[in-house]
Amino acid sequence: MTDDILRRLDRLESIDAIRQLAAKYSLALDMRDADAWVGLFPEDVKVGDGSTGRAALRDWFDQTMRQQFDGTSHHIGGHIIEFDDPDHAQGVVYSKNEHETGPEWVIMQMIYVDRYERIDGRWYFRRRLPLYWYATDLNKPPIGARKMRWPGREPYEGGYHDYFPSWKEFWARTGPSDRPVAEPAPLEKFIATMRGSAAAPKVKVR
């Protein structure tokens, strides 16, 4: 009984620590505290250009934030967390963001698909996959296709619906599904059940 209580307590504390990761990520990014931001990733974090380490990630952060944005605000929404084992978890986080970029104010709706890892008692982001629904000037609603609309760039798709196959399956039907209603997803398998065998999408870095 005691071991079960300890496991459940550890799970609750881990959920809170992982949710704090998403909040800390947003605050550090918006306040441009690069050291605080890269500290949310493990020492061997992989950077998009093939390099590794927090120093390389900090250089990427500095360059990206300095060149593209005057200011940002990231608003965290729903956060689903599921455990693979006591030290590894995955999650999906909604995020509604605002960006001051030169003369335009770009709003964005997206989700992060995350992998988390506990190292030496502390939870880190192992990986964040950003999937975008739209980005557009505040006064220009992104109606139609290719909703990622940044100043000075051609519109493009952001992969927002590509991680889960249900979106395409829904629109491929002309009416309600004739399949039997599925059983509720097993505990810790809600995301995996929704994903099925879908491959992870490839997304442009903004």
Side-chain angles (χ1 to χ4, degrees), residues 117-134:
E117 182 176 357
R118 181 161 55 179
I119 302 172
D120 295 331
R122 184 166 185 165
W123 283 97
Y124 295 95
F125 291 111
R126 173 50 71 183
R127 182 172 184 264
R128 300 210 91 181
L129 173 65
L131 301 175
Y132 309 107
W133 185 22
Y134 67 78

Side-chain angles (χ1 to χ4, degrees), residues 39-151:
L40 303 174
F41 296 84
E43 292 183 2
D44 62 346
V45 59
K46 295 181 180 179
V47 185
D49 60 2
S51 57
T52 60
R54 290 175 180 152
L57 184 62
R58 186 176 63 179
D59 289 344
W60 177 90
F61 175 96
D62 188 270
Q63 181 180 22
T64 302
M65 294 301 109
R66 195 174 305 281
Q67 290 181 350
Q68 296 189 16
F69 309 115
D70 300 307
T72 55
S73 181
H74 289 67
H75 305 268
I76 302 300
H79 192 170
I80 299 172
I81 301 165
E82 297 181 343
F83 291 85
D84 302 318
D85 59 49
D87 294 321
H88 297 85
Q90 56 184 299
V92 174
V93 187
Y94 275 82
S95 187
K96 184 68 172 286
N97 312 324
E98 300 192 21
H99 310 78
E100 182 183 6
T101 173
E104 298 193 57
W105 197 277
V106 177
I107 58 173
M108 172 192 286
Q109 179 65 58
M110 65 176 296
I111 56 175
Y112 290 103
V113 177
D114 294 335
R115 291 282 180 178
Y116 315 105
E117 182 176 357
R118 181 161 55 179
I119 302 172
D120 295 331
R122 184 166 185 165
W123 283 97
Y124 295 95
F125 291 111
R126 173 50 71 183
R127 182 172 184 264
R128 300 210 91 181
L129 173 65
L131 301 175
Y132 309 107
W133 185 22
Y134 67 78
T136 189
D137 183 274
L138 183 63
N139 296 311
K140 301 174 184 176
I143 304 301
R146 294 178 294 176
K147 297 180 185 294
M148 294 300 294
R149 303 174 187 177
W150 290 97

Side-chain angles (χ1 to χ4, degrees), residues 111 113 129 131-132 157-168 195 198-203:
I111 56 175
V113 177
L129 173 65
L131 301 175
Y132 309 107
E157 296 290 348
Y160 186 80
H161 296 107
D162 294 345
Y163 198 70
F164 300 99
S166 53
W167 176 262
K168 291 181 179 178
R195 293 244 318 119
K202 295 181 179 179
V203 183

